[in-house]
Amino acid sequence: MENKAATMENGEIPENANEHCPGPKSESAGQSDACQGCPNQEVCATVPKGPDPDLVAIAERLATVKHKILVLSGKGGVGKSTFSAQLSFALAAMDFQVGLLDIDICGPSIPKMLGLEGQDVHQSNLGWSPVYVESNLGVMSIGFMLPNPDEAVIWRGPRKNGLIKQFLKDVYWGELDFLVVDAPPGTSDEHISIVQLLEATGIDGAIIVTTPQEVSLIDVRKEVSFCKKVGVQVLGVVENMSGLCQPVMDFKFMRMTETGEQKDVTEWVKEYLREKAPELQNLIACSEVFDSSGGGAEKMSREMGVPFLGKVPLDPQLCKAAEEGRSCFADKKCPVSAPALKMIIEKLIEEHGFSKMLVDDSA
């Protein structure tokens, strides 16, 4: 019991704590609804309360980080991590010093999207060292720490929160212009933790990623509400997968037979276009995949009073870039999605004063 009390006095959350443990240093420790039935309830209620010493360490560690941006989504599978990765690539290409922190503990996809699978985290006397894509783009993720990439991370809230705190406290980023934080979908423990832990250091705001259909927007409204409740500015909403768009000549063409089978006629169509209608070869073909008849993210943003940054089409070439862990801006292989992402990122930088950093750095 004495060892347990000592642990709690240091602000550590016990392994056997309830899922939504407020933390032994919280004013509601041992008294909140989440504490009911917890084996540590009595000890927590008697532990001396006070400021978490780790918050001081986090503030000191992140004092060299100028801007912190959260990337959130209400629902999984909307392309949030893809956007986080491409945002980081774009900022680094502008010669900013960039860090990308993946706090999606159970589904860390950032290592793959940055081409860093199989890399390890190293420790020095300064702390944990990020894994670097380029000299000005470092990445940290639990994905680097798993012995097997197929291993499931089955952790309760307190243990997840402990790792997030350790990432913020122990990772040595050095001088950064931007720290991009890729969060899991929803509004759960990880989100509360990252906001509380970064509160003293200042969060510039959050970018919220969604798809156009109402089933996704329902959850995005909750995400906007969460940001307003915890005092995090919404920097803007991005509508991802906003219609399937790609060059006509990249499509595969099928003909339905009388028996219901599909016959590939791609080469015949392409040859026909080359001979009979060459002017059509350079067209971009678009199709609405998700229902946006309700107005999509743009209408929702107006209704909720938050900025709308723009739309990114569902582009197979962007999906391929994410699978291969490369920037969609580095070549001309993403002719549809790269310009859309570039306009969104430029708008973000201009509207929130980040463009001044470019001027200052070149002066």
Side-chain angles (χ1 to χ4, degrees):
M1 181 67 77
E2 288 180 4
N3 289 337
K4 186 181 288 187
T7 296
M8 293 181 183
E9 285 182 16
N10 290 330
E12 297 176 22
I13 298 176
E15 288 286 334
N16 61 345
N18 283 358
E19 186 173 359
H20 298 289
C21 172
K25 288 288 186 179
S26 168
E27 291 296 327
S28 61
Q31 302 169 30
S32 73
D33 292 341
C35 301
Q36 298 305 313
C38 178
N40 310 295
Q41 185 175 5
E42 185 179 345
V43 179
C44 276
T46 58
V47 166
K49 308 297 188 294
D52 185 348
D54 284 338
L55 293 180
V56 177
I58 290 170
E60 291 175 352
R61 176 67 83 181
L62 298 181
T64 56
V65 178
K66 294 177 184 174
H67 299 286
K68 304 166 199 71
I69 297 174
L70 307 182
V71 181
L72 309 174
S73 70
K75 189 173 288 295
V78 300
K80 170 186 53 59
S81 294
T82 299
F83 181 82
S84 295
Q86 297 304 325
L87 171 63
S88 300
F89 276 131
L91 292 172
M94 295 175 185
D95 290 327
F96 289 121
Q97 295 293 325
V98 184
L100 175 54
L101 175 59
D102 180 7
I103 63 166
D104 193 342
I105 308 301
C106 294
S109 51
I110 287 298
K112 181 171 183 62
M113 291 186 175
L114 273 292
L116 299 173
E117 282 186 301
Q119 298 293 318
D120 297 318
V121 172
H122 298 285
Q123 197 161 8
S124 69
N125 59 338
L126 295 173
W128 291 352
S129 298
V131 178
Y132 284 90
V133 184
E134 303 285 351
S135 60
N136 66 331
L137 176 53
V139 182
M140 180 55 69
S141 169
I142 191 177
F144 299 134
M145 303 175 182
L146 299 177
N148 180 351
D150 298 328
E151 192 77 27
V153 178
I154 308 173
W155 289 1
R156 290 188 181 274
R159 194 171 179 193
K160 291 181 188 176
N161 298 342
L163 181 62
I164 293 171
K165 180 183 282 189
Q166 195 164 5
F167 277 157
L168 296 175
K169 184 166 62 80
D170 293 343
V171 175
Y172 178 68
W173 296 102
E175 298 276 346
L176 283 186
D177 293 308
F178 292 95
L179 178 63
V180 178
V181 181
D182 185 52
T187 55
S188 56
D189 283 356
E190 294 95 321
H191 306 80
I192 298 169
S193 291
I194 195 72
V195 169
Q196 289 178 339
L197 294 171
L198 289 178
E199 189 173 15
T201 68
I203 303 172
D204 287 81
I207 298 169
I208 301 177
V209 181
T210 183
T211 46
Q213 76 276 34
E214 188 61 29
V215 73
S216 177
L217 296 174
I218 288 170
D219 290 333
V220 170
R221 290 185 182 93
K222 296 183 179 73
E223 201 76 38
V224 173
S225 174
F226 167 81
C227 289
K228 290 180 178 180
K229 285 181 178 179
V230 298
V232 173
Q233 181 186 3
V234 177
L235 299 176
V237 175
V238 173
E239 183 177 284
N240 197 26
M241 306 185 197
S242 185
L244 171 65
C245 294
Q246 63 177 354
V248 168
M249 299 301 278
D250 287 352
F251 272 92
K252 187 176 183 179
F253 296 91
M254 311 296 289
R255 174 179 287 154
M256 190 75 73
T257 66
E258 292 181 0
T259 60
E261 296 179 74
Q262 291 184 346
K263 181 182 178 182
D264 190 337
V265 293
T266 303
E267 288 307 314
W268 176 80
V269 171
K270 288 184 176 180
E271 185 62 29
Y272 185 90
L273 289 174
R274 279 192 286 266
E275 291 183 4
K276 306 291 186 181
E279 69 277 8
L280 300 182
Q281 293 182 83
N282 294 324
L283 292 182
I284 301 293
C286 299
S287 175
E288 191 172 273
V289 178
F290 300 111
D291 179 25
S292 60
S293 58
E298 188 169 9
K299 181 182 176 186
M300 182 220 68
S301 297
R302 285 198 306 270
E303 291 173 347
M304 299 203 73
V306 294
F308 180 68
L309 291 175
K311 302 178 181 182
V312 182
L314 180 58
D315 178 4
Q317 292 302 320
L318 177 59
C319 300
K320 190 174 182 182
E323 285 287 304
E324 296 175 355
R326 57 182 172 82
S327 168
C328 73
F329 307 104
D331 48 41
K332 296 184 179 179
K333 293 182 180 179
C334 300
V336 177
S337 54
L341 281 164
K342 185 171 181 285
M343 288 175 62
I344 286 170
I345 293 166
E346 287 176 349
K347 185 176 181 181
L348 172 74
I349 288 174
E350 184 64 35
E351 290 188 356
H352 295 283
F354 301 140
S355 58
K356 185 177 182 296
M357 296 169 63
L358 292 169
V359 176
D360 291 344
D361 289 345
S362 62

